[in-house]
């Protein structure tokens, strides 16, 4: 490749943990002769959001009117849009209580403080623009970032991860804390890639990488949790931490509690 | 020792008090792995430092012993796009011992061999299989075991040594020339087998046989599975399934793997890796053009039942060796055995339990011209 691949990294409402994770990678240095950074305020002072790019990485949830405009602009200027992290992909933890009144949530966090922007409920980027690829996680794994970039650099397309955390948990040889201790582990419905980090420490997965696309069986897991003594509210509360926008969640969990009650 | 190509059969006794000494000496042959407790209830094969940590009476390990030969995840080659070449990454494997393998798992390895050694040998599997010493150990079944129905409850080959529990030690069957060498090198630790020991061995085997939960005929299971595709069990049970893959990933005979190419950032080189796969995952049936030949959770659920109960022609047994892992380690508490029994009709009968008296005997088998005589 003679011409440099132009990339941009844009932040919406988030903790900046995703871009920090990426900016801290030593491997970034290998990229400098292949990649031109058009916009990435964290690492490049000479950044501009208006430039055309080949790959746009977007972090954060869409939480203000300005951000709606920004993502639309990014989409227009970018060939490939990659949503980075749980905020951009699923709306993030800030969407946990999305079914509550927005004003109520606002008051809880900011009280009567005045802000210069027009706030709204946090939403996933995909709600406004087409997203071509996703780097799951809170924050995403370094290796997933390298894999996606490496694959795009050879002109191929990276594979999506469509299997659950349990697979990696088994490959690592962990015991299963859901079976053994009845812990409410969300591994069976959560997108793999973290190498089952939490269960490996004996901590149940809270689903930070989001539910596996189309094959998250919330109903079957709810049934198993119900057998272990969890209530519907407890289950929904837990699964919603990172999946509040999942269109199937509530319906599938409700089904289980309607059936057996 | 081979005599006319036949291995000389040999049985020796390892007295109880020499057990740990023997295990310690095994380390001279390579890295020692054996079952240990890894959590409150579960066991796994792990590298052994202190031989006193070894569990002789474990029910089943969460990872099957195939993990030593067919690695859960491994690099298979490195590639360069500009040079249009690839180099296989075959590790230099040091000898190792897997101690404490149950009979069903030995059959599991024999099944893996038919796939990964016979015909087109898998290099990665082969180097490890050649370096691995297998030492079996006798066991008694728990409620999840059904190896008796799979005829895998007693292994008479597929190991270098096999230790059968006696009240005061172990009756050791030597299975390979390497097994002979291990015994010879430690001959002072062994004794001759007495008539009393043989009686004890018989007693153990009899008791073990009686302990199995199921004593029934599974002879026509394969037929019935194929004919009962519309049985309500499939819908009911696949509904419960989480599609987590645990059943495949703990199974000693699941052999599917997934490959992935991971390019480096230089836009040229990279590695291909493979990892254990599961047919309960959507991508297992995904082919070019985004077509999936097992598009539903139910079809994937059924696939495992059919695959595991198909027949390994070389060994004359089914691919399922009855170890019970897929039930024991299923987070959704789905019982593979009970589901098979439902299909068999030994649980809830889908047909009248007995053949009616008035069943018309009209088939060709009853015609008087059959069999020549008469
Ligand atoms: S501990 Fe959690 S992630 Fe691991 S196998 Fe069990 S349910 Fe799955
Ligand atoms: S185990 Fe679950 S909560 Fe932990 S890092 Fe992985 S996806 Fe996130
Ligand atoms: S272990 Fe159980 S829940 Fe998981 S895929 Fe297998 S049958 Fe389904
Ligand atoms: S198809 Fe499924 S059941 Fe058969 S070997 Fe592969 S993973 Fe195991
Ligand atoms: S199918 Fe289940 S019982 Fe049979 S060998 Fe595999 S894990 Fe064991």
């Amino acid at each position: 490749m003679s011409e440099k691949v132009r990339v941009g990294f844009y932040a919406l409402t988030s903790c900046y943990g995703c871009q920090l994770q990426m900016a801290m990678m030593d491997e970034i240095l290998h990229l400098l002769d292949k990649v031109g950074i058009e916009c990435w305020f964290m690492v490049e002072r000479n950044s501009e959001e208006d430039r055309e790019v080949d790959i746009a990485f977007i972090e954060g949830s869409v939480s203000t009117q300005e951000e709606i405009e920004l993502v639309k602009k990014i989409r227009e200027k970018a060939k490939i849009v990659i949503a980075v992290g749980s905020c951009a992909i699923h709306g993030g933890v800030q969407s946990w209580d999305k079914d509550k009144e927005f004003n109520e949530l606002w008051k809880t966090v900011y009280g009567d403080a005045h802000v210069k922007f027009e706030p709204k409920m946090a939403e996933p980027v995909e709600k406004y623009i087409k997203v071509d690829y996703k780097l799951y996680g809170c924050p995403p794994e370094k290796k997933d970032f390298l894999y996606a970039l490496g694959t795009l650099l050879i002109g191929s397309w990276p594979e999506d991860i469509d299997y659950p955390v349990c697979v990696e948990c088994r490959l690592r040889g962990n015991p299963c804390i859901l079976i053994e201790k009845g812990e409410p582990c969300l591994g069976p419905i959560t997108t793999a890639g973290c190498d089952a980090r939490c269960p490996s420490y004996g901590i149940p997965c809270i689903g930070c990488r989001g539910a596996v696309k189309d094959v998250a069986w919330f109903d079957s897991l709810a049934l198993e949790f119900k057998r272990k003594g969890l209530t519907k509210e407890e289950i929904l509360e837990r699964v919603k931490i990172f999946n509040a926008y999942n269109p199937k969640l509530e319906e599938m969990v409700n089904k289980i509690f309607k059936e057996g009650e | 020792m081979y005599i006319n190509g036949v291995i000389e059969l040999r049985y020796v006794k390892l007295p109880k008090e020499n057990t740990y000494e023997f295990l310690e000496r095994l380390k001279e042959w390579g890295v020692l792995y054996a079952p240990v407790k890894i959590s409150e209830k579960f066991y796994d094969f792990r590298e052994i430092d202190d031989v006193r940590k070894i569990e002789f009476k474990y029910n089943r390990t969460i990872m099957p012993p195939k993990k030593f030969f067919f690695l859960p995840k491994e690099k298979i080659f490195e590639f360069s796009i500009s040079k249009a070449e690839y180099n296989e990454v075959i590790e230099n494997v040091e000898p190792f011992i897997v101690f404490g393998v149950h009979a069903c798992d030995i059959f599991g390895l024999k099944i893996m061999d038919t796939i990964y050694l016979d015909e087109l040998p898998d290099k990665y599997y082969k180097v490890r299989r050649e370096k691995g010493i297998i030492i079996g150990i006798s066991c008694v079944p728990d409620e999840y075991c059904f190896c008796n129905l799979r005829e895998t409850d007693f292994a008479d080959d597929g190991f270098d040594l096999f230790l059968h529990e006696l009240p005061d030690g172990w009756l050791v069957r030597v299975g390979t020339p390497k097994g002979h060498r291990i015994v010879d090198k430690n001959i002072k630790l062994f004794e001759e087998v007495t008539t009393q020991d043989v009686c004890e061995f018989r007693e153990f085997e009899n008791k073990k046989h009686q302990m199995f939960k199921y004593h029934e005929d599974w002879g026509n299971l394969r037929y019935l599975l194929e004919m009962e595709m519309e049985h309500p069990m499939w819908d009911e049970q696949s509904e419960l399934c989480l599609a987590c893959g645990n059943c495949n990933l703990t199974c000693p005979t699941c052999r599917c793997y997934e490959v992935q190419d991971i390019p480096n950032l230089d836009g040229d080189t990279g590695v291909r890796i493979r990892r254990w796969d599961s047919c309960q995952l959507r991508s297992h049936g995904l082919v070019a053009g985004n077509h999936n030949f097992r598009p539903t959770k139910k079809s994937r659920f059924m696939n495992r039942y059919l695959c595991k109960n198909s027949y390994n022609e070389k060994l004359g047994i089914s691919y399922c060796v009855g170890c019970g892992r897929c039930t024991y380690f299923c987070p959704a508490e789905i019982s593979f055995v009970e589901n098979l029994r439902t299909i068999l009709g030994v649980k809830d009968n889908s047909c009248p339990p007995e053949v009616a008296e008035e069943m018309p005997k009209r088939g060709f088998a009853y015609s008087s011209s059959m069999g020549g005589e008469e």
Side-chain angles (χ1 to χ4, degrees):
Chain A
M1 226 174 289
S2 50
E3 292 230 344
K4 284 195 178 185
V5 175
R6 299 161 302 167
V7 303
F9 205 117
Y10 312 86
L12 312 176
T13 301
S14 64
C15 71
Y16 298 126
C18 298
Q19 45 172 319
L20 186 67
Q21 173 94 340
M22 296 182 178
M24 300 280 284
M25 294 186 319
D26 298 336
E27 290 85 348
I28 286 278
L29 294 174
H30 300 299
L31 277 174
L32 293 179
D33 58 333
K34 297 205 172 47
V35 165
I37 294 172
E38 300 295 329
C39 177
W40 188 349
F41 287 101
M42 189 180 267
V43 300
E44 176 61 60
R45 203 181 305 170
N46 174 27
S47 281
E48 264 179 55
E49 281 167 351
D50 287 331
R51 295 190 196 141
E52 304 240 324
V53 294
D54 296 301
I55 310 171
F57 293 92
I58 306 180
E59 164 198 281
S61 61
V62 181
S63 314
T64 64
Q65 280 303 326
E66 288 86 339
E67 286 172 353
I68 299 178
E69 300 314 315
L70 177 60
V71 288
K72 286 183 180 160
K73 183 163 73 186
I74 297 167
R75 180 72 267 189
E76 270 169 34
K77 307 260 174 193
K79 289 191 186 138
I80 298 169
V81 171
I82 301 184
V84 182
S86 280
C87 299
I89 299 172
H90 303 109
V93 269
Q94 56 270 43
S95 312
W96 189 355
D97 262 340
K98 79 163 193 16
D99 298 325
K100 286 210 182 115
E101 259 307 303
F102 179 71
N103 285 337
E104 190 191 324
L105 291 177
W106 177 262
K107 279 239 160 67
T108 320
V109 181
Y110 294 101
D112 293 324
H114 285 278
V115 289
K116 284 202 212 109
F117 51 84
E118 199 180 325
K120 51 177 259 335
M121 186 62 81
E123 284 174 310
V125 170
E126 219 168 13
K127 193 107 199 239
Y128 294 96
I129 59 168
K130 180 172 167 279
V131 167
D132 303 304
Y133 190 70
K134 293 169 181 167
L135 287 170
Y136 306 97
C138 183
E141 302 296 316
K142 198 172 111 170
K143 67 163 179 35
D144 288 351
F145 181 75
L146 294 175
Y147 166 69
L149 208 52
T151 307
L152 292 170
L153 285 176
I154 59 167
S156 182
W157 192 257
E159 283 176 53
D160 192 15
I161 302 173
D162 65 349
Y163 53 91
V165 171
C166 293
V167 171
E168 292 175 335
C169 196
R170 290 281 56 73
L171 297 192
R172 273 189 81 154
N174 295 335
C176 171
I177 50 179
L178 168 58
I179 303 175
E180 194 170 26
K181 303 206 176 114
E183 299 267 11
C185 186
L186 300 188
I189 54 149
T190 302
T191 312
C194 60
D195 216 7
R197 180 172 289 119
C198 302
S200 303
Y201 288 109
I203 300 164
C205 169
I206 54 166
C208 83
R209 296 175 57 85
V212 200
K213 190 167 174 264
D214 301 335
V215 282
W217 305 99
F218 300 114
D219 47 356
S220 317
L221 190 64
L223 176 64
E224 190 51 35
F225 283 179
K226 187 181 167 202
R227 284 182 186 155
K228 300 218 174 344
L230 270 74
T231 64
K232 182 171 120 182
E233 290 65 36
E234 286 168 332
I235 297 170
L236 281 173
E237 166 119 330
R238 185 168 177 83
V239 183
K240 272 187 179 176
I241 304 175
F242 286 98
N243 294 292
Y245 276 103
N246 194 294
K248 292 191 198 146
L249 171 60
E250 219 133 339
E251 182 198 323
M252 287 172 91
V253 174
N254 282 339
K255 188 178 96 187
I256 293 304
F257 282 85
K258 234 182 274 148
E259 274 172 7
E261 214 79 300
Chain B
M1 269 152 265
Y2 281 101
I3 300 166
N4 292 333
V6 179
I7 187 155
E8 186 192 316
L9 299 177
R10 184 180 183 192
Y11 298 88
V12 285
K13 182 178 180 181
L14 178 67
K16 205 172 188 172
E17 58 275 17
N18 291 351
T19 309
Y20 287 123
E21 173 74 27
F22 172 67
L23 287 164
E24 199 56 50
R25 300 257 187 106
L26 277 178
K27 291 182 185 165
E28 291 162 18
W29 296 78
V31 181
L32 177 63
Y33 296 92
V36 293
K37 219 165 179 202
I38 59 160
S39 60
E40 244 167 77
K41 294 188 202 139
F42 299 154
Y43 300 89
D44 197 11
F45 290 99
R46 293 284 159 94
E47 189 178 336
I48 299 298
D49 186 28
D50 179 1
V51 291
R52 287 177 194 269
K53 294 233 169 81
I54 296 176
E55 296 281 350
F56 299 100
K57 293 196 165 120
Y58 69 100
N59 52 9
R60 54 185 60 72
T61 55
I62 193 161
M63 293 184 94
K66 73 176 182 197
K67 74 169 182 178
F68 292 107
F69 309 102
F70 170 37
L71 300 192
K73 197 171 180 182
E74 70 186 318
K75 201 196 280 186
I76 52 177
F77 61 72
E78 290 166 347
F79 61 82
S80 159
I81 297 169
S82 64
K83 292 192 199 129
E85 64 175 31
Y86 69 94
N87 289 308
E88 286 165 333
V89 186
I90 312 240
E91 252 182 74
N92 187 20
V93 182
E94 295 296 329
F96 61 95
I97 302 109
V98 187
F99 175 85
V101 187
H102 287 169
C104 61
D105 279 348
I106 288 178
F107 276 98
L109 290 175
K110 287 170 62 159
I111 287 176
M112 293 303 283
D113 288 349
T114 66
I115 312 285
Y116 281 130
L117 287 185
D118 300 352
E119 284 157 39
L120 288 172
D122 179 276
K123 295 175 189 171
Y124 311 90
Y125 181 87
K126 191 159 175 270
V127 283
R128 297 198 166 82
R129 201 68 169 104
E130 281 164 356
K131 292 291 168 68
I133 294 170
I134 303 290
I135 302 187
I137 194 174
S138 60
C139 49
V140 290
D142 69 0
E143 60 188 293
Y144 294 88
C145 297
F146 57 106
C147 54
N148 60 325
L149 303 177
R150 299 305 202 178
E151 291 166 37
T152 54
D153 53 329
F154 194 91
D156 45 18
D157 65 358
F159 51 80
D160 295 285
L161 296 172
F162 199 108
L163 274 61
H164 294 273
E165 190 184 336
L166 298 172
D168 59 348
W170 309 90
L171 185 141
V172 182
R173 164 146 158 131
V174 181
T176 58
K178 193 170 266 161
H180 274 282
R181 288 202 295 278
I182 296 174
V183 170
D184 288 341
K185 266 211 121 178
N186 297 290
I187 197 72
K188 287 200 181 113
L189 295 177
F190 293 94
E191 290 173 0
E192 269 183 42
V193 174
T194 64
T195 327
Q196 174 67 22
D197 296 332
V198 178
C199 292
E200 297 289 359
F201 168 78
R202 284 179 194 266
E203 168 91 9
F204 183 96
E205 287 302 316
N206 279 337
K207 272 202 192 132
K208 170 181 163 182
H209 188 70
Q210 284 161 22
M211 285 169 77
F212 282 104
K213 184 168 174 187
Y214 309 104
H215 296 269
E216 54 204 21
D217 187 4
W218 280 24
N220 53 13
L221 176 61
R222 270 173 279 273
Y223 273 39
L224 289 172
L225 278 173
E226 283 162 11
M227 294 191 295
E228 292 282 18
M229 297 286 204
E230 306 298 327
H231 197 289
M233 181 280 279
W234 298 117
D235 276 314
E236 282 161 22
Q237 295 291 305
S238 63
E239 265 294 294
L240 306 176
C241 175
L242 297 159
C244 67
N246 278 10
C247 45
N248 296 126
L249 300 164
T250 58
C251 179
T253 69
C254 272
R255 51 210 174 271
C256 293
Y257 60 80
E258 167 79 355
V259 296
Q260 191 178 27
D261 289 341
I262 311 213
N264 295 326
L265 290 180
D266 58 9
D268 181 30
T269 60
V271 293
R272 176 168 291 184
I273 55 161
R274 72 173 175 189
R275 64 150 173 82
W276 292 354
D277 201 1
S278 156
C279 56
Q280 306 311 293
L281 309 179
R282 174 180 46 190
S283 56
H284 192 274
L286 202 62
V287 289
N290 221 13
H291 180 72
N292 199 318
F293 53 87
R294 281 191 290 277
T296 59
K297 182 166 69 158
K298 182 182 164 193
S299 62
R300 300 191 274 269
F301 185 88
M302 291 174 82
N303 181 68
R304 187 173 77 86
Y305 282 65
L306 291 165
C307 177
K308 297 280 85 167
N309 291 294
S310 62
Y311 202 59
N312 181 299
E313 303 217 336
K314 280 191 194 124
L315 296 173
I317 54 174
S318 69
Y319 278 96
C320 166
V321 295
C323 72
R325 284 185 179 87
C326 55
T327 300
Y328 192 71
F329 296 115
C330 171
E333 300 176 59
I334 296 170
S335 173
F336 183 61
V337 198
E338 291 304 334
N339 289 343
L340 294 179
R341 297 181 74 240
T342 300
I343 295 293
L344 277 161
V346 286
K347 247 183 102 199
D348 313 307
N349 292 314
S350 61
C351 302
E354 282 172 57
V355 179
E357 275 302 318
E358 60 277 15
M359 186 176 172
K361 294 183 174 169
R362 278 192 309 235
F364 73 91
Y366 296 97
S367 76
S368 53
S369 60
M370 284 290 291
E373 310 242 330
E374 192 172 292

